[in-house]
Amino acid sequence: MALAPVASFASITTTHHSSLFFQPKHHPRIHRFRCNGTNPNEESKQPQNNAFLKLAWYSSELLGIAASVFRSPPNEKAPPQRLLETIDRDAIVDTIKQDFQRSYFVTGDLTLNAYEEDCEFADPAGSFKGLQRFKRNCTNFGSLLEKSNMKLMKWEDFEDKGIGHWRFSCILSFPWRPILSATGYTEYYFDAQSGRVCRHVEHWNVPKMALFKQILRPSRGFGLKDYMSRWLKAVQVKL
């Protein structure tokens, strides 16, 4: 969930239909007129929203990289690289479900050889190719969180893909401690030859701008006094 993370929305055109019926006195035939029109305001706003979200997405990626450079090395050992011994559809699906339990969206702790190295990763704000870049973005995103909760709600199997429906919430470690909460689903497309995941496409069940507004909204009960208290404690620790 690269925000990484904040991880493919189609343009929306609003169409209005109206019908008018009348029956003249001297003609029994019923005449019908249909008027079709589009809302130009919606069309003009959509490219601006998409451009704004892409800017926010790439900015968050750079923020995550910067945070990884300046944060102190963790005391805990990095989790070992997870690899499957057997590459087949059942094994890959099982390990994806296990990766959900490890909250791989925010930890980067996923089974690497379940994916193609040049796997495409897409979310509401952008897309890119590269397994290592995805792993790095997930790990960096996790470093920006105070708390997170991720759960796989349902799994569906299809001929060329699997779909995992999930629920996610977290508290971002920004000064205003915003709460990010959403449901969605991820499509895992399997390569016909290798059997590995070649496309990983996230879909969020919230409007894209509403998701970004969650990041800007302070959490309930947060105020200037709380911010100053946290800032003073941080300064005292450094001194």
Side-chain angles (χ1 to χ4, degrees):
M1 183 167 308
L3 178 65
V6 192
S8 302
F9 279 111
S11 298
I12 300 173
T13 302
T14 304
T15 305
H16 303 281
H17 299 282
S18 60
S19 299
L20 191 63
F21 297 90
F22 65 87
Q23 183 174 2
K25 293 182 180 180
H26 303 291
H27 300 280
R29 180 187 298 176
I30 296 177
H31 298 268
R32 176 173 179 172
F33 296 89
R34 177 175 292 272
C35 301
N36 295 332
T38 57
N39 189 334
N41 293 330
E42 293 294 333
E43 291 182 328
S44 62
K45 289 180 181 179
Q46 196 66 27
Q48 295 177 1
N49 290 344
N50 290 337
F52 182 70
L53 280 171
K54 286 183 178 181
L55 176 62
W57 190 92
Y58 287 113
S59 297
S60 67
E61 183 178 24
L62 292 174
L63 177 62
I65 295 173
S68 67
V69 172
F70 290 104
R71 69 172 177 260
S72 57
N75 295 326
E76 299 179 359
K77 293 182 179 180
Q81 288 193 351
R82 302 185 185 278
L83 298 172
L84 284 173
E85 296 182 0
T86 304
I87 304 297
D88 58 42
R89 178 70 172 266
D90 290 339
I92 290 177
V93 170
D94 286 341
T95 200
I96 290 174
K97 293 178 181 179
Q98 293 171 19
D99 288 345
F100 264 99
Q101 296 177 3
R102 292 185 282 268
S103 297
Y104 79 96
F105 275 11
V106 296
T107 62
D109 187 5
L110 73 164
T111 308
L112 295 178
N113 64 343
Y115 299 82
E116 296 286 352
E117 280 295 330
D118 62 346
C119 179
E120 178 187 1
F121 295 90
D123 63 18
S127 66
F128 60 86
K129 288 187 177 182
L131 176 60
Q132 293 303 322
R133 182 179 176 183
F134 176 74
K135 178 178 173 64
R136 182 197 68 193
N137 286 352
C138 290
T139 304
N140 290 342
F141 178 47
S143 69
L144 300 175
L145 306 182
E146 290 188 8
K147 296 179 181 179
S148 65
N149 189 313
M150 182 180 182
K151 186 176 182 181
L152 178 64
M153 308 301 295
K154 182 175 69 172
W155 179 269
E156 295 179 293
D157 274 312
F158 297 91
E159 183 177 354
D160 63 336
K161 67 179 179 180
I163 299 180
H165 298 261
W166 43 262
R167 177 188 298 161
F168 175 75
S169 64
C170 69
I171 299 177
L172 294 169
S173 57
F174 295 163
W176 57 97
R177 302 181 73 240
I179 298 174
L180 183 65
S181 178
T183 60
Y185 61 96
T186 301
E187 296 176 290
Y188 301 83
Y189 290 87
F190 300 100
D191 184 84
Q193 295 182 347
S194 69
R196 294 182 172 92
V197 178
C198 59
R199 292 186 67 214
H200 176 287
V201 186
E202 295 174 28
H203 302 269
W204 296 64
N205 296 334
V206 292
K208 42 191 172 180
M209 289 307 296
L211 187 64
F212 186 71
K213 288 179 180 178
Q214 287 186 22
I215 302 174
L216 301 179
R217 184 183 303 119
S219 61
R220 182 176 299 179
F222 178 84
L224 180 60
K225 182 178 179 181
D226 302 295
Y227 173 76
M228 292 300 298
S229 176
R230 287 172 175 269
W231 182 81
L232 288 172
K233 288 181 181 179
V235 171
Q236 289 174 358
V237 170
K238 291 182 179 180
L239 294 177

